[in-house]
Amino acid sequence: MNDSTNSLPDHRLICTVDIVLLTLRAGQLQVMLLKRDREPFAGALALPGGYVHASEDQDCEDAAQRVLLNKAGLQSPYLEQLASFSGPARDPRGWSVSVAYMALVPAPEPALPGQHWLPVDRLPQLPFDHGRIVAAAAERVRNKSQYSSLPVHLCPEPFTLPQLHGIYETLLGEAINPVSFRRKMDELAILEPVPGAKRAEGPHRPAQLYRLKDEFRQTLRLVGRGLNA
Amino acid sequence: MNDSTNSLPDHRLICTVDIVLLTLRAGQLQVMLLKRDREPFAGALALPGGYVHASEDQDCEDAAQRVLLNKAGLQSPYLEQLASFSGPARDPRGWSVSVAYMALVPAPEPALPGQHWLPVDRLPQLPFDHGRIVAAAAERVRNKSQYSSLPVHLCPEPFTLPQLHGIYETLLGEAINPVSFRRKMDELAILEPVPGAKRAEGPHRPAQLYRLKDEFRQTLRLVGRGLNA
DNA sequence: GCAATAGTGTCTTTGAGACAATATACA
DNA sequence: TGTATATTGTCTCAAAGACACTATTGC
């Protein structure tokens, strides 16, 4: 395998996709890692990923969806291209380009067997440059949480406003004024109340349940001037 | 050339970089196109780009810098990764991945021979999927202009605040309150006045000249709540 | 001095945050 | 009825926009 690569033209490169599948569990942003079943780094925890298959994929996003379905059993979560990572050293097989995608899901309870969810801020050393890729994804999620509806994709539906409020606070790492939060969510107009459905977490007034309007399932909406200062 | 590609492994793909070099001229966001000197699409105007060379490039950004230097004579303009574009049909040579970069420069006057600057909003049909790539770059510049210091990279130094103000207005396509604009630029603290240097454009009070502080030449700074509403 | 744009001071308006009041569940 | 959280109304404060005033040049 190594010999054959040397004879390939200089511009035919290893092309892969890597998926940073994120969720919020135990009050932390967590990433899903899988134990690699082949070399290189067999046995190590790493991002789900794989070669782009020129013969079957329509584009890299298509490859990402395929990986997501095969390795995580996910049909169509929120998915966006993150960035591409490249270089001679990131993959021991040779000069490679990886187009990284970020996917968001509500916390799967319990985790599927074989899936390892780890907090993005306390990861062990990861193979390839997966550490950098996860860091980029975490940064983007936290950044976009400041001014967009992104975090709704981390919340299991239906959800209450206080619940979503908590998710934003966790991601941003700071308190958000509850009144402003309601005002903003109202402006965004991406949520619809589930008629009659309420949920109480204890001996107190139950909260209205909401779900995401269908047309925003793959779209984001931006908040006028951000969520807080 | 076509036969050889068929025998390559499925995951060894054509990898290129494409550069969307943007500037502001004649009050318009313009993109630099070059006449292609080889197939495919020889003779057509297209984005500067080229194969990633596994043997010389440290990563795709490196390849982008190389292309920028060789084809546009640019040393180190503002450069950021835009996104990757891929698929079986975008390049007639076969399934390909292009990592697109966006570069910003102050308007070069006069344009170098061979460089064609065209307004991004009135482009002819471009080869490959270069139309889409340019559209993505234009969208990103306009978007980032709403809340960051990005547009300073389009302004020839030294510049006056009214000049920079005009650039923001052009990019955003709407008026910006001059008082707020000054306040914001002041907050950002990325500009320094050139001591004693002023410029008058006519029979009136001359404006103070500014330059970008060196530490922000490749960095962006975000504005607290955006530049306007 | 006149015209024209640069730059500043201050009032008005808008929207975010604080706080208080009301609503509604379970015990 | 008591407690706890949901939800709403209203006041306060900070920042953006409008406007008016001063500054500085060439003519």
Side-chain angles (χ1 to χ4, degrees), chain A residues 1-9 12-18 36-42 46-53 71 85 87-98 127-130 133, chain B residues 9 11-12 54:
Chain A
M1 175 165 178
N2 280 322
D3 291 326
S4 70
T5 62
N6 293 331
S7 61
L8 289 172
R12 288 275 170 171
L13 305 178
I14 298 171
C15 279
T16 60
V17 291
D18 285 305
R36 287 182 60 81
D37 59 1
R38 65 187 70 178
E39 293 298 338
F41 305 111
L47 294 176
Y51 289 119
V52 174
H53 295 329
K71 301 204 174 176
F85 297 81
R90 56 177 302 281
D91 188 320
R93 289 165 292 192
W95 217 105
S96 65
V97 178
S98 172
F128 307 99
D129 52 358
H130 287 188
I133 299 179
Chain B
H11 59 282
R12 289 274 170 170

Side-chain angles (χ1 to χ4, degrees), chain A residues 20 31 33 47 120 123 126 129-139:
Chain A
V20 185
V31 59
L33 300 175
L47 294 176
V120 294
L123 291 180
L126 296 184
D129 52 358
H130 287 188
R132 254 183 86 202
I133 299 179
V134 173
E139 187 188 339

Side-chain angles (χ1 to χ4, degrees), chain A residues 17 51-54 56-66 79 81 99 101, chain B residues 13 84-90 95-97 129 132:
Chain A
V17 291
Y51 289 119
V52 174
H53 295 329
E56 34 174 329
D57 300 322
Q58 278 312 295
D59 55 28
C60 289
E61 180 162 327
D62 219 38
Q65 305 252 212
R66 178 171 51 73
L79 182 67
Q81 194 186 113
V99 183
Y101 286 80
Chain B
L13 304 178
S84 296
F85 297 81
S86 53
R90 54 177 303 281
W95 217 105
S96 64
V97 177
D129 52 358
R132 254 183 85 203

Side-chain angles (χ1 to χ4, degrees), chain B residues 54-219:
Chain B
S55 50
E56 35 174 328
D57 300 322
Q58 278 312 295
D59 54 27
C60 289
E61 181 162 326
D62 220 38
Q65 304 253 211
R66 178 172 51 73
V67 168
L68 220 30
L69 184 61
N70 293 342
K71 301 204 174 178
L74 288 169
Q75 194 59 243
S76 56
Y78 175 81
L79 182 68
E80 71 172 52
Q81 194 185 114
L82 182 60
S84 296
F85 297 81
S86 53
R90 54 177 303 281
D91 188 320
R93 288 166 292 191
W95 217 105
S96 64
V97 177
S98 172
V99 183
Y101 286 80
M102 174 176 97
L104 305 184
V105 287
E109 302 289 1
L112 291 177
Q115 298 192 352
H116 299 259
W117 290 94
L118 296 179
V120 295
D121 293 319
R122 253 167 296 149
L123 291 179
Q125 275 274 305
L126 296 183
F128 307 100
D129 52 358
H130 287 187
R132 254 183 85 203
I133 300 179
V134 173
E139 187 187 339
R140 181 173 304 182
V141 170
R142 287 171 175 149
N143 197 29
K144 284 200 171 180
S145 297
Q146 295 179 334
Y147 61 86
S148 84
S149 61
L150 188 73
V152 300
H153 301 289
L154 294 169
C155 206
E157 293 188 80
F159 50 80
T160 67
L161 281 184
Q163 206 181 338
L164 186 60
H165 180 235
I167 286 183
Y168 271 88
E169 288 190 331
T170 300
L171 291 169
L172 297 181
E174 60 185 353
I176 298 173
N177 185 301
V179 180
S180 298
F181 182 76
R182 277 165 185 277
R183 273 193 292 239
K184 289 295 186 179
M185 285 302 139
D186 197 48
E187 275 172 32
L188 283 185
I190 56 171
L191 304 182
E192 55 190 8
V194 182
K198 314 214 166 194
R199 180 196 300 155
E201 293 290 340
H204 56 262
R205 176 173 175 177
Q208 175 65 50
L209 285 167
Y210 291 85
R211 62 173 160 244
L212 187 59
K213 288 182 189 168
D214 254 343
E215 61 262 46
F216 296 109
R217 224 155 267 291
Q218 282 295 325
T219 325

